[in-house]
């Protein structure tokens, strides 16, 4: 019996992650404001890039599509993708704009606040013409967020990439990754995030994003299911230390979290998404088999948990062996 519910292998299909990559400047001391921070460490990030590296770290095949500044930071980020075995043939460099930066304060509880430098940054200037359509068409899964919807021309590039991926038969994966300070207003954020909602096959939201998108302060099944759309195959709500909930057409449930010593929550959601995509890329029937999906979600929860135990997203992303060890010890 155990064999049928074993964790599926990591797939060989290509997962293309679209959007922004930037550098987070993280204070050397936790629990202080930006002004009080004595110094900052460079931490490469950007949710879609983190997802691509999470996939590769778990032994999957990943590529990143986006634009970086033709500057030292941009070339450093491209180098980090290559070092982590993420394909970089979807990257463009902009000579006129800088790579985006974000200053991040780590509160004492490990949660974050952001101050962004993007006026405009290279990622915002990706055009539909810049896209490597051949790369996108060769993907099995196309993953994206919502930051790329904020301004043109990047918004048009995002919509074009999604359309090309859909036509090529890719599974579309969406993690809105709400960053309110980047949007002109909360209303605009909500409207744009929802404008592409019904195109996605798999959607992952955090508890905070669920509250924001539904306007409800309840984090329950009714609230989550108000975000359901007929083409959706899987809706996931991550609840931090309370684990995650899953919803499909035919079943729903929750998977408990793993308890770890949380230092920095950066990248936990990206690790969770990367782990999920790496396990379903070659076998989407998992989305219709609750027992197998639960095994996968136990693994994704473990990956998310491990990522909170170290500062920064990319250094903290786990290997499969790390995740299996945590599951075994729990």
């Amino acid at each position: 019996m155990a064999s049928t519910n074993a964790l599926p292998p990591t797939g060989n299909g290509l997962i293309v992650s679209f959007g922004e990559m930037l550098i987070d400047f993280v204070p050397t001391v936790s629990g202080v404001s930006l002004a009080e921070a004595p110094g900052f460490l460079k931490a490469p990030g950007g949710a879609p890039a983190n997802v691509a590296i999470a996939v590769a770290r778990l032994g999957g095949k990943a590529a990143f599509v986006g634009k970086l500044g033709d500057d030292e930071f941009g070339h450093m980020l491209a180098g980090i993708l290559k070092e982590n075995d993420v394909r970089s043939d979807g990257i463009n460099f902009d000579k006129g704009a800088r790579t985006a930066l974000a200053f991040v304060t780590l509160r004492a509880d490990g949660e974050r606040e952001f101050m962004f430098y993007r006026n405009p940054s290279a990622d915002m200037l990706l055009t539909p013409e810049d896209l490597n359509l051949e790369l996108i068409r060769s993907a099995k899964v196309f993953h994206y967020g919502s930051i790329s919807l904020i301004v043109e021309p990047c918004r048009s590039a995002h919509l074009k990439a999604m359309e090309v991926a859909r036509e090529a038969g890719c599974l579309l994966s969406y993690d809105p990754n709400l960053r309110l300070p980047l949007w002109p207003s909360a209303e605009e954020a909500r409207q744009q995030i929802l404008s592409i909602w019904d195109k996605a096959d798999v959607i992952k939201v955090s508890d905070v994003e669920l509250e924001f998108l539904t306007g409800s302060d309840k984090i329950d099944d009714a609230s989550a299911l108000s975000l359901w759309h007929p083409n959706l195959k899987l809706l996931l709500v991550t609840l931090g230390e309370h684990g995650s909930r899953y919803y499909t057409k035919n079943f729903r449930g929750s998977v408990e979290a793993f308890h770890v010593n949380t230092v920095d929550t950066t990248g936990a959601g990206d690790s969770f998404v990367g782990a999920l995509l790496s396990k379903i890329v070659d076998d989407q029937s998992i989305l219709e088999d609750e027992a197998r999906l639960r095994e996968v979600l136990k693994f994704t929860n473990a990956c998310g948990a491990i990522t909170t135990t170290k500062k920064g997203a990319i250094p903290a992303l786990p290997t499969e062996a790390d995740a299996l060890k945590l599951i075994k010890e729990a």
Side-chain angles (χ1 to χ4, degrees):
M1 184 65 201
S3 62
T4 56
N5 288 357
L7 183 69
T10 294
N12 288 314
L14 179 65
I15 296 165
V16 168
S17 201
F18 173 93
E20 70 286 348
M21 188 173 194
L22 57 136
I23 296 178
D24 288 336
F25 284 86
V26 184
T28 49
V29 179
S30 291
V32 296
S33 69
L34 286 178
E36 292 162 344
F40 295 89
L41 291 168
K42 296 196 304 278
N50 292 341
V51 169
I53 295 174
V55 167
R57 185 89 35 101
L58 292 168
K61 289 195 173 63
F64 174 72
V65 172
K67 201 172 215 180
L68 300 167
D70 191 3
D71 51 37
E72 276 201 44
F73 284 151
H75 290 285
M76 177 191 114
L77 293 177
I80 285 164
L81 289 170
K82 284 181 192 145
E83 277 162 36
N84 283 283
D85 299 318
V86 173
R87 279 178 60 177
S88 58
D89 45 341
I91 296 176
N92 291 268
F93 291 94
D94 195 289
K95 291 205 180 307
R98 294 281 186 222
T99 301
L101 309 178
F103 284 82
V104 184
T105 40
L106 275 184
R107 300 203 312 243
D109 63 0
E111 286 299 330
R112 302 149 302 161
E113 289 163 359
F114 297 88
M115 182 166 80
F116 291 92
Y117 282 69
R118 297 170 89 231
N119 53 334
S121 53
D123 59 288
M124 300 156 75
L125 301 177
L126 184 74
T127 66
E129 295 71 37
D130 288 331
L131 294 170
N132 180 340
L133 298 180
E134 206 175 313
L135 176 67
I136 293 167
R137 288 188 185 110
S138 70
K140 286 272 182 69
V141 172
F142 182 71
H143 174 75
Y144 47 88
S146 71
I147 288 173
S148 38
L149 295 174
I150 300 174
V151 287
E152 291 292 1
C154 187
R155 184 169 194 277
S156 291
H158 181 140
L159 298 176
K160 169 80 174 171
M162 256 174 47
E163 182 191 336
V164 168
R166 162 66 73 218
E167 283 168 5
C170 298
L171 183 87
L172 298 191
S173 162
Y174 185 20
D175 175 357
N177 230 306
L178 177 68
R179 294 283 177 271
L180 261 182
L182 293 179
W183 292 90
S185 67
E187 195 35 59
E188 173 81 354
R190 193 177 289 110
Q191 196 181 330
Q192 291 298 342
I193 287 170
L194 294 173
S195 71
I196 58 167
W197 201 256
D198 60 355
K199 301 271 196 294
D201 298 300
V202 173
I203 295 176
K204 175 243 150 194
V205 290
S206 69
D207 42 8
V208 175
E209 289 159 349
L210 178 65
E211 287 180 317
F212 175 76
L213 291 169
T214 59
S216 159
D217 55 2
K218 287 194 175 66
I219 300 164
D220 56 15
D221 288 350
S223 179
L225 287 167
S226 72
L227 293 176
W228 185 262
H229 71 76
N231 304 319
L232 200 51
K233 293 179 173 154
L234 176 64
L235 173 66
L236 292 161
V237 181
T238 54
L239 306 163
E241 61 195 30
H242 301 294
S244 54
R245 290 190 189 152
Y246 58 88
Y247 303 87
T248 73
K249 280 191 180 70
N250 300 316
F251 53 79
R252 65 175 86 152
S254 61
V255 181
E256 277 181 35
F258 291 89
H259 292 288
V260 292
N261 183 20
T262 292
V263 175
D264 174 10
T265 58
T266 308
D270 306 326
S271 179
F272 177 96
V273 170
L276 171 76
L277 299 179
S278 74
K279 293 299 179 190
I280 65 171
V281 61
D282 285 359
D283 185 1
Q284 292 175 27
S285 71
I286 290 165
L287 302 176
E288 291 158 26
D289 179 340
E290 187 166 14
R292 283 158 75 215
L293 181 63
R294 287 185 65 86
E295 283 304 309
V296 168
L297 292 177
K298 195 156 64 167
F299 177 75
T300 62
N301 279 2
C303 289
I306 290 167
T307 309
T308 70
T309 61
K310 278 190 208 163
K311 267 194 183 178
I314 293 168
L317 295 168
T319 62
E320 178 145 335
D322 296 332
L324 294 177
K325 184 167 178 278
L326 179 62
I327 291 168
K328 199 174 164 196
E329 288 168 0

